Amino acid sequence: MKISSIPLDKAVVDGPIDAFSRALLGDSPSLAEVLEYLASLRTADPRYRYLCTLDDAGQCRYTSMHASDDARIALYEDEEPATPEDALAARERSLAHVIAQLENSSHRLEWTALAGTLLCNDADIEALVAANAAPDLIVDAVVCVQQVPVDRDDLLIAALPNGYFSADWDLFQNHALIRHLQERYDYHLFGLGASWLGFQRDSAPSPVQANALVADLQRVYAAGTDVTWSQLAATLATRTTLLLGYTEDFSEQLP
């Protein structure tokens, strides 16, 4: 894996995401390598939390720009930043605004509101099994790492809002999912792609925990066969990571 740091002036101009972009991981890194690098960053500078891209970083950025125009979170400033430092400050103001909206009770959703709201089919649930068994399938050849000034992992989603199309889970639905997985199962968000979310916990869940998690997921995805969901439970009981699709036809992102 090749690690390339991104200085602030380059991040502001070229991203590849925005002023929070801090490193590119090249040469087709494995998910294990990406997670090891994120852990090293957290140890080196615990003031920040870190979010990486997963599948199709370019599309992820594109749909995030459109998702950020949602009237519930949009923040427009009249003046263009004069310096990279000004651009970073503007980005931080935008982040704070999105976080405030996520915490606003009028927008906040509960986990139970997600049931049946994502347009998916049996092939998507089969893709959940495939991606969780072989997570490198949803890691791009180049991964961008974002350094985000938030004090909770669930708020990382505010740095890269997504779920732009009507058949996708939007920012607030994704945040409800993220909070539930963190609070009930101790899975913490680490990655976001054009169609997939990545979570990690300190140790693999027990079979009982994996079955309870899958029962929750089966209710909200509302697709797939019992056999497929049982396969997912067996897979998750052997891994510390969890990969979930959040867009229509998320299975199509798998090679």
Side-chain angles (χ1 to χ4, degrees):
M1 179 179 72
K2 179 182 179 181
I3 302 171
S4 302
S5 298
I6 306 174
L8 178 60
D9 57 347
K10 180 174 174 57
V12 168
V13 175
D14 297 325
I17 305 295
D18 57 28
F20 291 153
S21 299
R22 286 297 173 265
L24 290 176
L25 310 182
D27 294 344
S28 299
S30 67
L31 184 59
E33 289 174 321
V34 172
L35 290 173
E36 183 178 359
Y37 181 69
L38 294 179
S40 72
L41 292 177
R42 288 192 293 268
T43 299
D45 197 343
R47 295 175 300 165
Y48 299 95
R49 281 173 165 75
Y50 297 88
L51 181 72
C52 72
T53 58
L54 294 172
D55 59 291
D56 201 341
Q59 180 69 12
C60 178
R61 181 191 182 212
Y62 175 77
T63 51
S64 180
M65 287 191 297
H66 287 290
S68 297
D69 287 331
D70 185 319
R72 294 171 294 179
I73 62 171
L75 179 65
Y76 304 109
E77 298 192 353
D78 294 332
E79 296 184 8
E80 286 292 321
T83 67
E85 290 74 20
D86 290 342
L88 178 59
R91 185 67 190 87
E92 290 171 344
R93 288 192 295 273
S94 175
L95 174 68
H97 176 72
V98 175
I99 289 172
Q101 301 315 302
L102 286 177
E103 303 283 41
N104 187 323
S105 60
S106 66
H107 300 316
R108 197 175 181 90
L109 297 175
E110 295 304 321
W111 158 261
T112 52
L114 297 184
T117 56
L118 181 66
L119 187 60
C120 59
N121 54 44
D122 290 356
D124 292 313
I125 309 309
E126 292 168 4
L128 290 181
V129 177
N132 280 282
D136 292 349
L137 289 173
I138 66 162
V139 180
D140 259 1
V142 178
V143 170
C144 181
V145 176
Q146 302 288 102
Q147 179 178 276
V148 187
V150 292
D151 57 9
R152 299 199 322 255
D153 290 332
D154 68 286
L155 296 177
L156 282 168
I157 190 73
L160 199 57
N162 230 310
Y164 167 61
F165 297 104
S166 60
D168 305 340
W169 279 335
D170 65 18
L171 168 67
F172 295 94
Q173 291 168 313
N174 280 328
H175 190 229
L177 171 72
I178 292 163
R179 293 195 329 268
H180 180 75
L181 294 176
Q182 182 171 314
E183 292 165 3
R184 183 163 182 181
Y185 298 104
D186 203 28
Y187 280 103
H188 294 257
L189 182 70
F190 72 81
L192 173 68
S195 292
W196 290 79
L197 297 165
F199 303 85
Q200 185 181 31
R201 51 178 282 159
D202 290 339
S203 59
S206 68
V208 171
Q209 290 171 322
N211 285 330
L213 169 61
V214 162
D216 272 355
L217 295 176
Q218 190 170 5
R219 281 190 288 272
V220 294
Y221 280 99
T225 67
D226 289 342
V227 171
T228 305
W229 285 109
S230 294
Q231 291 172 338
L232 180 62
T235 297
L236 295 180
T238 67
R239 309 194 66 92
T240 62
T241 52
L242 170 65
L243 303 171
L244 297 175
Y246 70 92
T247 65
E248 181 183 7
D249 298 325
F250 60 81
S251 59
E252 294 181 2
Q253 287 292 336
L254 294 189

